Amino acid sequence: MTSELGQLADVQVARSRLDEQELDLIDRARHGGATWAQIAQALGLGSRQAAEQRRQRLVAARRSRQQQLDVRYSTQISAVRAAVAELGRWIAADRRWDARFRRAALVRGTVDAALDATPGSLYALALHLVTDLGEAGDQLPAPARAATATIEDALSMPR
């Protein structure tokens, strides 16, 4: 029974690697100009919506794995990632975000990168977010200013 349990654990590791590879290939195909319908066909899915949903599930699984890894580090890393995720949710809900200030699109990209980053990179990216958002000043809506303050607080937590 012990060898079967070990093999089951190996399957989980392999599944995670395949999920990462699939997500990477989907993103590379999209950046290369592939349509969601083409991606759906390549994956054997019935519709473009199914392919988009598949990508969303893969992203959610990646973030879940990352959160589990964060627990091995200081509570500061978990707090920083949670604060960046909250900012990301607010940005995603703001239809006018990219027009709010000069670096708004850059901030959106930095948030996306930070959510998938290793702890060291996450910390550095969060510092960039605070700097870029700080330069926006009064152009930021109150929820974005609050999210920025939460990120600053998380960055200043004792390690």
Short mmCIF file of all heavy atoms in Angstrom, two decimals, residues 103-141:
data_model
loop_
_atom_site.label_atom_id
_atom_site.label_comp_id
_atom_site.label_asym_id
_atom_site.label_seq_id
_atom_site.Cartn_x
_atom_site.Cartn_y
_atom_site.Cartn_z
N ARG A 103 0.72 55.32 -15.51
CA ARG A 103 1.26 53.97 -15.34
C ARG A 103 0.21 52.92 -14.98
O ARG A 103 0.55 51.84 -14.52
CB ARG A 103 2.34 53.98 -14.27
CG ARG A 103 3.56 54.78 -14.66
CD ARG A 103 4.64 54.58 -13.65
NE ARG A 103 5.83 55.32 -14.05
CZ ARG A 103 6.90 55.43 -13.32
NH1 ARG A 103 6.96 54.84 -12.14
NH2 ARG A 103 7.94 56.12 -13.74
N ALA A 104 -1.04 53.21 -15.23
CA ALA A 104 -2.12 52.29 -14.82
C ALA A 104 -1.99 50.93 -15.50
O ALA A 104 -2.14 49.89 -14.85
CB ALA A 104 -3.48 52.91 -15.11
N ALA A 105 -1.71 50.90 -16.79
CA ALA A 105 -1.58 49.62 -17.50
C ALA A 105 -0.37 48.85 -16.98
O ALA A 105 -0.42 47.62 -16.82
CB ALA A 105 -1.47 49.84 -18.99
N LEU A 106 0.71 49.56 -16.67
CA LEU A 106 1.90 48.93 -16.10
C LEU A 106 1.57 48.31 -14.74
O LEU A 106 1.97 47.18 -14.44
CB LEU A 106 3.03 49.94 -15.95
CG LEU A 106 4.29 49.45 -15.25
CD1 LEU A 106 4.97 48.37 -16.06
CD2 LEU A 106 5.23 50.62 -14.99
N VAL A 107 0.80 49.02 -13.94
CA VAL A 107 0.40 48.50 -12.63
C VAL A 107 -0.42 47.22 -12.80
O VAL A 107 -0.21 46.24 -12.08
CB VAL A 107 -0.38 49.57 -11.82
CG1 VAL A 107 -1.09 48.97 -10.62
CG2 VAL A 107 0.57 50.68 -11.39
N ARG A 108 -1.34 47.21 -13.75
CA ARG A 108 -2.15 46.02 -14.00
C ARG A 108 -1.23 44.82 -14.32
O ARG A 108 -1.39 43.74 -13.78
CB ARG A 108 -3.12 46.25 -15.15
CG ARG A 108 -3.96 45.02 -15.50
CD ARG A 108 -4.73 45.21 -16.81
NE ARG A 108 -5.61 46.35 -16.82
CZ ARG A 108 -6.85 46.35 -16.34
NH1 ARG A 108 -7.36 45.25 -15.83
NH2 ARG A 108 -7.59 47.42 -16.39
N GLY A 109 -0.27 45.03 -15.19
CA GLY A 109 0.66 43.96 -15.55
C GLY A 109 1.52 43.52 -14.37
O GLY A 109 1.81 42.33 -14.21
N THR A 110 1.95 44.48 -13.56
CA THR A 110 2.76 44.15 -12.40
C THR A 110 1.97 43.33 -11.39
O THR A 110 2.50 42.39 -10.80
CB THR A 110 3.31 45.44 -11.74
OG1 THR A 110 4.04 46.19 -12.72
CG2 THR A 110 4.22 45.13 -10.57
N VAL A 111 0.71 43.67 -11.21
CA VAL A 111 -0.15 42.88 -10.31
C VAL A 111 -0.26 41.45 -10.81
O VAL A 111 -0.09 40.49 -10.05
CB VAL A 111 -1.56 43.52 -10.17
CG1 VAL A 111 -2.54 42.55 -9.53
CG2 VAL A 111 -1.48 44.81 -9.36
N ASP A 112 -0.50 41.28 -12.10
CA ASP A 112 -0.61 39.93 -12.67
C ASP A 112 0.68 39.15 -12.47
O ASP A 112 0.65 37.97 -12.11
CB ASP A 112 -0.96 40.00 -14.15
CG ASP A 112 -2.38 40.47 -14.41
OD1 ASP A 112 -3.20 40.42 -13.48
OD2 ASP A 112 -2.66 40.89 -15.55
N ALA A 113 1.81 39.80 -12.71
CA ALA A 113 3.10 39.12 -12.53
C ALA A 113 3.34 38.79 -11.06
O ALA A 113 3.85 37.71 -10.73
CB ALA A 113 4.23 40.00 -13.07
N ALA A 114 2.99 39.70 -10.17
CA ALA A 114 3.22 39.49 -8.74
C ALA A 114 2.43 38.31 -8.19
O ALA A 114 2.92 37.57 -7.34
CB ALA A 114 2.89 40.76 -7.96
N LEU A 115 1.22 38.14 -8.68
CA LEU A 115 0.38 37.07 -8.16
C LEU A 115 0.96 35.68 -8.44
O LEU A 115 0.71 34.74 -7.70
CB LEU A 115 -1.03 37.18 -8.73
CG LEU A 115 -1.82 38.37 -8.21
CD1 LEU A 115 -3.16 38.49 -8.92
CD2 LEU A 115 -2.00 38.31 -6.70
N ASP A 116 1.75 35.56 -9.50
CA ASP A 116 2.35 34.28 -9.85
C ASP A 116 3.83 34.20 -9.49
O ASP A 116 4.49 33.21 -9.78
CB ASP A 116 2.19 34.03 -11.36
CG ASP A 116 0.74 33.87 -11.76
OD1 ASP A 116 -0.05 33.37 -10.94
OD2 ASP A 116 0.39 34.25 -12.89
N ALA A 117 4.36 35.24 -8.87
CA ALA A 117 5.80 35.34 -8.62
C ALA A 117 6.24 34.54 -7.40
O ALA A 117 5.46 34.27 -6.48
CB ALA A 117 6.18 36.81 -8.42
N THR A 118 7.52 34.19 -7.41
CA THR A 118 8.13 33.58 -6.23
C THR A 118 8.18 34.63 -5.13
O THR A 118 8.08 35.84 -5.41
CB THR A 118 9.55 33.09 -6.55
OG1 THR A 118 10.33 34.22 -6.95
CG2 THR A 118 9.54 32.03 -7.65
N PRO A 119 8.35 34.22 -3.87
CA PRO A 119 8.33 35.20 -2.78
C PRO A 119 9.28 36.39 -2.93
O PRO A 119 8.89 37.53 -2.71
CB PRO A 119 8.66 34.35 -1.55
CG PRO A 119 8.08 33.02 -1.89
CD PRO A 119 8.38 32.85 -3.37
N GLY A 120 10.52 36.14 -3.35
CA GLY A 120 11.45 37.26 -3.51
C GLY A 120 11.00 38.23 -4.59
O GLY A 120 11.05 39.45 -4.41
N SER A 121 10.56 37.69 -5.70
CA SER A 121 10.07 38.54 -6.79
C SER A 121 8.78 39.24 -6.40
O SER A 121 8.56 40.40 -6.76
CB SER A 121 9.85 37.70 -8.05
OG SER A 121 11.07 37.15 -8.48
N LEU A 122 7.92 38.55 -5.66
CA LEU A 122 6.68 39.15 -5.19
C LEU A 122 6.98 40.40 -4.37
O LEU A 122 6.37 41.45 -4.58
CB LEU A 122 5.89 38.15 -4.33
CG LEU A 122 4.74 38.72 -3.50
CD1 LEU A 122 3.65 39.27 -4.41
CD2 LEU A 122 4.20 37.66 -2.57
N TYR A 123 7.93 40.29 -3.46
CA TYR A 123 8.28 41.43 -2.61
C TYR A 123 8.76 42.60 -3.46
O TYR A 123 8.30 43.74 -3.29
CB TYR A 123 9.36 41.00 -1.61
CG TYR A 123 9.57 42.00 -0.51
CD1 TYR A 123 8.82 41.94 0.66
CD2 TYR A 123 10.52 43.00 -0.63
CE1 TYR A 123 9.01 42.86 1.67
CE2 TYR A 123 10.73 43.92 0.38
CZ TYR A 123 9.97 43.85 1.52
OH TYR A 123 10.15 44.76 2.52
N ALA A 124 9.65 42.33 -4.41
CA ALA A 124 10.18 43.39 -5.27
C ALA A 124 9.07 44.02 -6.13
O ALA A 124 9.01 45.25 -6.28
CB ALA A 124 11.29 42.84 -6.16
N LEU A 125 8.20 43.19 -6.69
CA LEU A 125 7.11 43.71 -7.51
C LEU A 125 6.13 44.54 -6.68
O LEU A 125 5.61 45.56 -7.15
CB LEU A 125 6.38 42.56 -8.21
CG LEU A 125 7.19 41.88 -9.32
CD1 LEU A 125 6.53 40.57 -9.72
CD2 LEU A 125 7.37 42.80 -10.52
N ALA A 126 5.88 44.11 -5.45
CA ALA A 126 4.99 44.89 -4.57
C ALA A 126 5.59 46.26 -4.27
O ALA A 126 4.86 47.26 -4.21
CB ALA A 126 4.72 44.11 -3.28
N LEU A 127 6.90 46.33 -4.10
CA LEU A 127 7.55 47.63 -3.90
C LEU A 127 7.35 48.53 -5.13
O LEU A 127 7.08 49.72 -4.99
CB LEU A 127 9.05 47.44 -3.63
CG LEU A 127 9.42 46.89 -2.26
CD1 LEU A 127 10.91 46.58 -2.20
CD2 LEU A 127 9.04 47.87 -1.16
N HIS A 128 7.46 47.94 -6.32
CA HIS A 128 7.22 48.72 -7.54
C HIS A 128 5.77 49.20 -7.59
O HIS A 128 5.50 50.34 -8.01
CB HIS A 128 7.52 47.88 -8.79
CG HIS A 128 8.97 47.69 -9.05
ND1 HIS A 128 9.82 48.72 -9.39
CD2 HIS A 128 9.74 46.58 -9.01
CE1 HIS A 128 11.03 48.26 -9.56
NE2 HIS A 128 11.02 46.96 -9.33
N LEU A 129 4.84 48.35 -7.19
CA LEU A 129 3.43 48.75 -7.18
C LEU A 129 3.21 49.96 -6.29
O LEU A 129 2.53 50.92 -6.67
CB LEU A 129 2.54 47.59 -6.71
CG LEU A 129 2.30 46.48 -7.70
CD1 LEU A 129 1.60 45.30 -7.03
CD2 LEU A 129 1.50 46.98 -8.89
N VAL A 130 3.77 49.92 -5.09
CA VAL A 130 3.60 51.02 -4.15
C VAL A 130 4.17 52.31 -4.74
O VAL A 130 3.55 53.37 -4.66
CB VAL A 130 4.26 50.68 -2.80
CG1 VAL A 130 4.36 51.90 -1.91
CG2 VAL A 130 3.47 49.58 -2.10
N THR A 131 5.33 52.22 -5.38
CA THR A 131 5.94 53.40 -6.00
C THR A 131 5.07 53.94 -7.12
O THR A 131 4.78 55.14 -7.18
CB THR A 131 7.35 53.05 -6.54
OG1 THR A 131 8.15 52.61 -5.46
CG2 THR A 131 8.00 54.25 -7.20
N ASP A 132 4.65 53.06 -8.04
CA ASP A 132 3.85 53.50 -9.18
C ASP A 132 2.50 54.05 -8.75
O ASP A 132 2.03 55.07 -9.27
CB ASP A 132 3.64 52.35 -10.18
CG ASP A 132 4.93 51.99 -10.91
OD1 ASP A 132 5.86 52.82 -10.94
OD2 ASP A 132 4.99 50.88 -11.45
N LEU A 133 1.87 53.41 -7.79
CA LEU A 133 0.57 53.88 -7.31
C LEU A 133 0.72 55.18 -6.52
O LEU A 133 -0.15 56.04 -6.56
CB LEU A 133 -0.11 52.81 -6.47
CG LEU A 133 -0.59 51.59 -7.27
CD1 LEU A 133 -0.93 50.45 -6.33
CD2 LEU A 133 -1.76 51.95 -8.14
N GLY A 134 1.82 55.31 -5.79
CA GLY A 134 2.07 56.54 -5.04
C GLY A 134 2.20 57.74 -5.94
O GLY A 134 1.77 58.85 -5.60
N GLU A 135 2.78 57.55 -7.12
CA GLU A 135 2.94 58.65 -8.07
C GLU A 135 1.61 59.09 -8.66
O GLU A 135 1.50 60.21 -9.17
CB GLU A 135 3.91 58.25 -9.18
CG GLU A 135 5.34 58.13 -8.72
CD GLU A 135 6.30 57.69 -9.81
OE1 GLU A 135 5.88 57.66 -11.00
OE2 GLU A 135 7.46 57.40 -9.48
N ALA A 136 0.60 58.23 -8.62
CA ALA A 136 -0.71 58.58 -9.16
C ALA A 136 -1.44 59.56 -8.26
O ALA A 136 -2.28 60.33 -8.73
CB ALA A 136 -1.56 57.34 -9.37
N GLY A 137 -1.14 59.53 -6.98
CA GLY A 137 -1.72 60.48 -6.03
C GLY A 137 -3.24 60.48 -6.02
O GLY A 137 -3.88 59.44 -5.90
N ASP A 138 -3.82 61.68 -6.19
CA ASP A 138 -5.27 61.85 -6.11
C ASP A 138 -6.03 61.27 -7.29
O ASP A 138 -7.25 61.21 -7.27
CB ASP A 138 -5.62 63.34 -5.99
CG ASP A 138 -5.16 63.93 -4.66
OD1 ASP A 138 -4.98 63.13 -3.70
OD2 ASP A 138 -4.98 65.16 -4.59
N GLN A 139 -5.31 60.84 -8.33
CA GLN A 139 -5.98 60.23 -9.49
C GLN A 139 -6.51 58.83 -9.16
O GLN A 139 -7.33 58.30 -9.88
CB GLN A 139 -5.02 60.16 -10.67
CG GLN A 139 -4.61 61.51 -11.18
CD GLN A 139 -3.53 61.42 -12.24
OE1 GLN A 139 -2.82 60.43 -12.34
NE2 GLN A 139 -3.41 62.48 -13.03
N LEU A 140 -6.03 58.27 -8.05
CA LEU A 140 -6.49 56.93 -7.65
C LEU A 140 -7.80 57.03 -6.90
O LEU A 140 -7.96 57.87 -6.01
CB LEU A 140 -5.47 56.27 -6.72
CG LEU A 140 -4.21 55.71 -7.32
CD1 LEU A 140 -3.37 55.06 -6.23
CD2 LEU A 140 -4.50 54.72 -8.41
N PRO A 141 -8.75 56.18 -7.21
CA PRO A 141 -9.98 56.13 -6.42
C PRO A 141 -9.67 55.64 -5.00
O PRO A 141 -8.65 54.97 -4.77
CB PRO A 141 -10.85 55.12 -7.16
CG PRO A 141 -10.19 54.90 -8.47
CD PRO A 141 -8.76 55.28 -8.33
#
